[in-house]
Amino acid sequence: MAILVVNNISKHFGGLQALFKVNISVEAGTTHSLIGPNGAGKSTLLNVLTGQIEPNEGSVVFKDRPLLNITPHKINQLGIARVFQTPAIFPEMVLLENVMAAVFASRDGAYKFNLLESRRHAQSVANFAIEILEQVGLQHKIRSEARFLSRGDKRRLELAICLAHKPSLLLLDEPTAGMARHETESTIELLRSISKKNMTIVIVEHDMNVVFALSDTITVLSQGQVIAEGIPDHVRGNPAVIEAYLGKEHA
Amino acid sequence: MSEMIQKPDSNAFFSVQDIHSYYGESYIVQGVSFEIAEREIVALLGRNGAGKTSTLRTIARAHEPFLKKGKIVLNGMPLHQLEAHQAAQIGVQLVPEDRRIIGGATVEENLILAQIAKPIGWSFEQIYEHFPRLAERRKQQATTLSGGEQQMLAVARALARDLKLLLLDEPYEGLAPIIVREIERILLEVKKLGITTIIVEQNAVAALKLADRAIILDTGLVAFDGSAQEVLDNKELREEYLAI
Amino acid sequence: MSKKHDKSKGLTRRDVLKISAASAVAASTPMFFVKDAWAQKAIGNFPVNGPTVTYGFNVPLTSIYADEGEDELRAYKLAVKHLNNGGGMVETLQPNALKRNGVLGKKVEYVVGDTQTNPDAARTSARRMIERDKVIMFSGGSSSAIAIAQQYLAQELGVIFMCGLTHSNDTTGKDKRRYGFRHFFNAYMTGKALAPILSKEYGKDRRAFHLTADYTWGHTQYQSMKDFTEKEGWTTVDNIMTPVKTTDFSQFLTPILNSDADVLILNHYGKNMNNSLTNAVEFGFKEMQKNGKNMEIVVPLYSRLMAKGAGQKNIEGVLGTTAWNWTQKDDDPGSKAFVETFEKEYGFPPSQAAQTCYVQTIIYSDAVERAGTFYPPAVIKALEGHEFAGTGPGKTLYRAEDHQCFKDMLVVKGKSPSQLKGKYDLLEIVSKVKREDTVYPVDTFPGELGPYEPA
Amino acid sequence: MGIINRGTIHLTVFALIVLTFPFWFEYTGGYAGLDTKIIIWAIFALGFDLLLITGYLSFGHAAFFGISAYATGLMLLHYSSNIIEAMIVGVVVSTIAAVIIGFLTLRRTGIYFSVLTLAFGEMFHTAAVSIFSGLTGGENGLTGLPTPTLFGEKMQGSNVFYLCAIFLIIGFYLARRITRSPFGLMLKSLKSNQTRLEYIGINVQFYKNSAFVLSSIYAAVAGSLMVIYEPYVATEFLEWKTSGTLVIMSVMGGVGTLFGPMIGAAFMLYFENVASVFLEEQWLLALGIMFMAIVVYLPGGFVDGYKRMMRHWVKKNQA
Amino acid sequence: MVNQIFLQIVTGLQLGAIYVLIALGLTLIFGTLGVVNFTHGALFMLGAFSAVIISGNYGFVAAIIIVPPFLFFFGVLMERFIVRFFYDRPHTDQILVTFGFAIVIQETLKWIFGSNNIPFKMPAWGRGILKLHEYVPFLDGFVAYPKWRFILITVSFFTVIALFALLQFTRFGMVIRAGMNDSEILSFLGINITRRFTLVFGLGSMIAGLAGVFAGPVTNVDPGLGMFYLVPSFLVVVIGGMGSLPGAVLASFLLGMAQSFTVSFAGLQAIVVYIVAVVVLLFMPRGLLGKKGVLD
């Protein structure tokens, strides 16, 4: 069953055609990668999905609900979480607070605010937050301020913030950028364990190791258009993909 | 990794010695060292976020990232003690990512701006001779140029200055393949001029076509320093650090 | 006679306040008509303990009326000196109960506060004097808003306030308070004194355009000027209310240029007056001809310091009223004594604000001596309806019903630079208006004085 | 958790300091009356901090202080001298204004927000002295108010002090609870990263507005108490200089610390009324220089300075 | 009727001219350096004080010659010793520090000169009125307006022209315009943009000084002047669009006209400036002419 369907999305900025009649269908419980050279429209597509950009035409359907013309926080409340390319965390807050904010948001929704509830006494929230931090491997740093983390750890933290919502769809924008190799590997493991919990994941990624290690399906974008789609092996051998992405001579 | 880091030689034409730089509180360049001989062209490679652009910007003495430690020496001049404009005046030229063409100014004004500070390099005649496209559009608003033309202008702007070290940051980024070929042709021409160059490029294959040598960065550290051919031949190396 | 009531030695001021509050009901019986039957409870900072008594001088030391404030302060200091050692009006006051050894044998000391020309700051500062420095009386001010604000505070806390420079009808009109006394004249009296002279100087068939500072003083001034000039046969063409903060009045002057008005009346004071007059002169109103007559500018309320701020050239020939001018030193012994001692002390002549504040301090002290106690209701009684001489030309009356003072006042005109005799000689006296000519019935304005003992 | 935890201790100590304020304040050169004023401004500053936590610098908070003051004053004047109705009306009217202004201004950020709030604030101030001068008494302020009462008891002297003190203690308790609640966490997150907050499913606009309204309620309570303390309403209550003073107090004390702005308020009023005796007219100049020095060298204000000192001291003692 | 409308337009123009002179420097500094300068009103005031003192002692021409360079110098020092350290700090910090400095300037002037108005004597050539009906054909009867106001409009006009010319046609201007767009790339091209920014700050202050010289005689001179003009000049800059010079000019005249045409409605007149600001900002969040700067 397709959890997310992108229908004929087009978007242009002035004269630049960022997306042209893009169709993608993401199956529930799978990991779906979007690849393509810089400027291919991957980030634009993510922005369309999370309500930052209004497309010029087309529609997006998530769990049979249209996803356009609603604000990012509503999209999030529907169950779509996003990890940004540059980690979007709360730098001045400690890790526990970072995740607890997300847990509270998920528990209370967009409007209800618990004015007088003590955070210190919200044990179940804190426990859940710690549990998630453990899941991403940050349990030993829960009292340090987020801005002092390394880039890799910041990304893990952001992932933890997103997981706090128990989303049904996780959007990852270059989750391993800036990570050392061993970090990348543990991130792959982490994502794999997450996807095993029946989570649908959409990844935009440059690192082919990551892409091929994780993906059930790969969609290749080039200059705003889908040029190939399919299982990893199928995509790997596709000449159009090689030309556009890997470079002709050394495919 | 450490065995790959070479001891910097202070006699080199250009050397970077154990530089550490920060964006605010994030520690980006974590102790990079390398050296480059005169007229050499080096490709600085690595995956997204490996610290390539930050290294270039540190060399160009940009305000950010902030260099906390380390030395950068060009032709005996201590670059690490200078500000960006001073670095530019002794011959460092950065052609930045996104070209950074100055909006609201014409093509020619962009070139004039490049020649306000002394010393200057190519004259306009020379530039227009090599870049006839720019000559055609000299009175046009520079931001209305196509991506490829903007890249030409960015390179021309660097040549308009008397340069000793050219830093190219992602010269092919966001350009259509046909334009990439044209920029490639220009860069090959620049190569013939014998200017010492560092080129950062995501498209490693394209970069290695120009470069004599390759340096691969990984999370702010030098992971490999060797000939360009070595990178092209070593699939494992490519997969590990370049993800191709 | 008050000595035996000094029982509250050990009490804190808070207790004093509480007692005074609790005794409010008991005190509001008509006992006080018999002087010796005063139930002399603690009110405000009464009783006064120790060998000294403190007065509070709350004047604008910063902000727009600072110059006036400084001159007021000079006058206060001089008054204290004279009260303690004799001299000045202490010698000329008639009748005179002052003993030249302080007041009721207590040496007079003073504290100074800064009103910042801001009612809120003025009240804060007054409170500080009352609550920290235990002043028995406070005085000062250069604005009606501030005077009124302090008058209410005086009533609340039971400390007499002798108003400084305040010209609004409200001060002794709808906002009159039992604990506040005004020595200065008001807008109504200005209108009454000025209008006949205007019609004499400029003719009966005049068309006036008013610019009015948009606050209560301005409104009362405008109303008074309108009423009295219309009585003289003038026509009021129009009035524009100008925001108090205006610094450039050109937009308000433009409509006048285009009207058929031939007199411009500026119901402005202080900085507003400086600016509007400067702008009006710039707009050529002084050289302009309208309806075949010379255009005239009138500034109903004048002060020498303000005239200085507006610039000599601008005020030349402009008519207005003022309470007193130092050039009157030759007219009466009180003015003479004051001006001479002031000049001797400071090297230049006093302003009308200084004269008002000086007299207020002297008159209060005299009332205390006459009452024989600092007990505020008794002092108020002594001041109410008191008539005296020797503080300026003619006799002065503090009317009991509204605490407005009536005395002679002046209609003045800005001198031309050629007439000047020295730096401080800016105003030419056109007419000395007699007290009888400006008296008005009490019921002209509404308002209640409130009780003798504060609630 | 036992009953004796850090929160209880903080609160008890705070309450004790506030309640005993009049008794020791006089030994520091202060005097009765000023103590009440300090408490009122502390309430105002405390509430302002709830907005500052979100990173929004309002230059128009005097509006809520002033509107409430006028509403309270008018109630006392025309309806009854009982403060309960007057305070309720004051706070309600001011809160309605805050809801509207917040809705309009919070859509902008940074300097635009500051200037918009400034414009709104000055609009109210100017309107009060011109258009509504019949109602407000114009430049004279609202005078002639009766002595406020509470159940027949006159609200004067120490009565007002303890009334204000109780409000401050409750206000502090609530502010502390609020900053330590999930809501408080969201406000902190709001300053830290609005985008991320939106992407964890929070309606950022709604939270911003709530913080704005909450802080305006404190301002309204303070404005209302000011009128009870001094049965008089000055036009200055609405003026932008009042907002500016509030900003200076908060910054000097230390933004986002709850204690800081209160300390800033106390310091500034103390400085204005006590230190001005030595500095005379130059106290404002001294204050300006001090303020600049704090912005340049100690952006965290007094509270930060204290923390740094303590850290330094601890380090020294450890060494 | 025609007369009246004409006069109100002239009044609107000259009110706008004062706003232009004050707001121009403010928006130039914001547009180029990205600094929100709450000291600007105080700089204008400093200009007016210097002008009144110098013209009182040495004549008005001396004030024209001395005051703008003095303010230029003052601005350079201010940039060098205060503002420079706040380029990388948030706008709110810039507001705070410049607000603090404005208080310091104001209180210092108050200390030295007292709080009362210092009368500003107009030079003889600026006094008197212009009889407009002699020049403008459709006016009938007697229509006059002070000469100084036209001088003010003219000075304002030429200042705007000069600033535009400086920015459009000189090398310095080209660098500055480019710097407003992207100052970093200029430093990569070897240009010491910091030094030029210092000069721009000086230039902005100099215009404030010029405003002090020419607007001083009509606004009068006292230490409240700076704070008084601070709020409206910020409104002008924000309404016009932060950093947009044409926007500031447009907004100045918009506010001037709004004030001039509401003059007979006392209450409205007092708040019209704020109403315009609120309405413009609510519907055009970036002000009338966006925020992209002089180049657009």
Side-chain angles (χ1 to χ4, degrees), chain C residues 61-67 214 240-241 243 245-248 250-252 254-255 257-258 271 274-275 278-279 282-284 288 305 308-311 313, chain E residues 3-4 7-8 11 14-15 18 110 115-119 122 127-129 142 144-146 148-149 217-220 222 228-229 259-260 263 266 269-270:
Chain C
L61 292 173
T62 53
S63 192
I64 55 171
Y65 295 143
D67 283 1
D214 193 5
I240 295 179
M241 295 292 181
K245 288 184 169 178
T246 312
T247 61
D248 174 8
S250 57
Q251 72 260 43
F252 306 109
T254 311
L257 281 179
N258 211 41
K271 194 176 145 188
N274 287 168
N275 291 358
T278 308
N279 291 159
E282 186 205 350
F283 268 66
M288 209 174 277
L305 292 171
K308 189 178 135 212
K313 265 201 88 63
Chain E
N3 288 3
Q4 191 178 340
L7 280 175
Q8 279 182 327
T11 302
Q14 59 95 356
L15 288 176
I18 298 177
K110 203 183 274 180
S115 305
N116 264 23
N117 182 43
I118 305 177
M122 261 172 216
R127 271 179 240 149
I129 48 173
F142 180 85
Y145 211 77
W148 191 260
R149 305 292 168 147
V218 302
T219 60
N220 279 352
D222 69 70
F228 178 80
Y229 272 99
Q259 280 190 308
S260 173
V263 72
Q269 214 268 346

Side-chain angles (χ1 to χ4, degrees), chain C residues 329 335-345 350:
Chain C
K329 68 178 174 189
S335 301
K336 185 180 166 68
F338 176 54
V339 173
E340 280 175 357
T341 48
F342 192 98
E343 278 185 326
K344 189 168 162 240
E345 189 83 14

Side-chain angles (χ1 to χ4, degrees), chain E residues 44-54 109 113-114 118 221-223:
Chain E
F44 162 64
M45 175 167 72
L46 191 61
F49 267 93
S50 324
V52 79
I53 300 301
I54 292 169
L109 288 176
F113 298 103
I118 305 177
V221 186
D222 69 70

Side-chain angles (χ1 to χ4, degrees), chain C residues 240-277:
Chain C
I240 295 179
M241 295 292 181
T242 62
V244 178
K245 288 184 169 178
T246 312
T247 61
D248 174 8
F249 286 83
S250 57
Q251 72 260 43
F252 306 109
L253 294 167
T254 311
I256 306 169
L257 281 179
N258 211 41
S259 72
D260 60 351
D262 49 30
V263 176
L264 168 60
I265 299 180
L266 297 172
N267 299 308
H268 287 144
Y269 186 69
K271 194 176 145 188
N272 272 342
M273 175 270 185
N274 287 168
N275 291 358
S276 64
L277 182 62

Side-chain angles (χ1 to χ4, degrees), chain A:
Chain A
M1 190 200 80
I3 189 169
L4 179 76
V5 181
V6 175
N7 282 321
N8 261 327
I9 290 285
S10 292
K11 175 73 196 175
H12 53 81
F13 301 104
L16 179 76
Q17 189 78 34
L19 294 171
F20 184 69
K21 293 195 183 302
V22 172
N23 288 292
I24 295 172
S25 170
V26 179
E27 292 298 312
T30 64
T31 300
H32 194 124
S33 290
L34 287 175
I35 63 170
N38 274 1
K42 304 176 303 258
S43 291
T44 309
L45 184 59
L46 276 196
N47 287 341
V48 167
L49 295 181
T50 52
Q52 262 179 328
I53 291 176
E54 285 287 308
N56 298 100
E57 60 168 315
S59 65
V60 180
V61 178
F62 173 68
K63 289 192 189 163
D64 301 326
R65 288 191 55 168
L67 210 54
L68 297 182
N69 298 319
I70 53 177
T71 55
H73 78 263
K74 283 187 188 143
I75 290 176
N76 184 280
Q77 292 286 359
L78 288 175
I80 299 181
R82 176 174 180 181
V83 174
F84 287 83
Q85 199 166 0
T86 39
I89 51 173
F90 305 115
E92 290 85 13
M93 296 172 12
V94 301
L95 266 58
L96 185 62
E97 287 178 321
N98 266 273
V99 181
M100 276 177 79
V103 182
F104 279 124
S106 131
R107 189 192 71 182
D108 298 340
Y111 293 96
K112 184 183 162 202
F113 51 82
N114 281 295
L115 211 53
L116 297 178
E117 184 192 352
S118 170
R119 286 195 320 255
R120 290 161 62 89
H121 296 159
Q123 272 308 329
S124 63
V125 173
N127 290 343
F128 183 55
I130 292 169
E131 196 181 300
I132 296 168
L133 282 165
E134 269 167 19
Q135 204 180 334
V136 299
L138 289 173
Q139 66 277 16
H140 51 288
K141 288 181 180 165
I142 58 172
R143 297 276 168 218
S144 54
E145 275 181 47
R147 62 198 162 120
F148 297 121
L149 294 181
S150 73
R151 271 223 276 191
D153 281 351
K154 278 183 183 156
R155 213 172 280 281
R156 283 164 185 277
L157 174 60
E158 195 185 13
L159 193 60
I161 292 172
C162 289
L163 291 175
H165 243 268
K166 299 181 190 151
S168 38
L169 176 62
L170 189 60
L171 304 176
L172 300 165
D173 199 349
E174 302 207 23
T176 64
M179 285 189 183
R181 189 170 156 68
H182 64 277
E183 283 184 304
T184 306
E185 270 163 15
S186 61
T187 305
I188 292 173
E189 281 313 306
L190 176 63
L191 292 176
R192 202 173 263 155
S193 69
I194 291 167
S195 78
K196 273 192 193 131
K197 292 179 181 162
N198 211 20
M199 177 97 69
T200 315
I201 301 177
V202 171
I203 304 180
V204 167
E205 181 57 79
H206 273 112
D207 189 330
M208 289 306 127
N209 293 329
V210 180
V211 171
F212 290 128
L214 286 171
S215 309
D216 298 307
T217 317
I218 298 176
T219 299
V220 188
L221 285 174
S222 180
Q223 297 184 35
Q225 281 174 288
V226 175
I227 57 169
E229 187 171 64
I231 56 168
D233 286 338
H234 173 75
V235 169
R236 207 195 291 259
N238 188 319
V241 176
I242 294 164
E243 152 120 38
Y245 196 64
L246 300 179
K248 214 184 228 166
E249 294 89 341
H250 290 272

Side-chain angles (χ1 to χ4, degrees), chain C residues 254, chain E residues 2-16 138 145 153 253 256-257 260-261:
Chain C
T254 311
Chain E
V2 176
N3 288 3
Q4 191 178 340
I5 291 172
F6 180 79
L7 280 175
Q8 279 182 327
I9 290 173
V10 174
T11 302
L13 274 179
Q14 59 95 356
L15 288 176
F138 56 80
Y145 211 77
I153 296 173
F253 290 114
M257 292 296 170
S260 173
F261 277 89

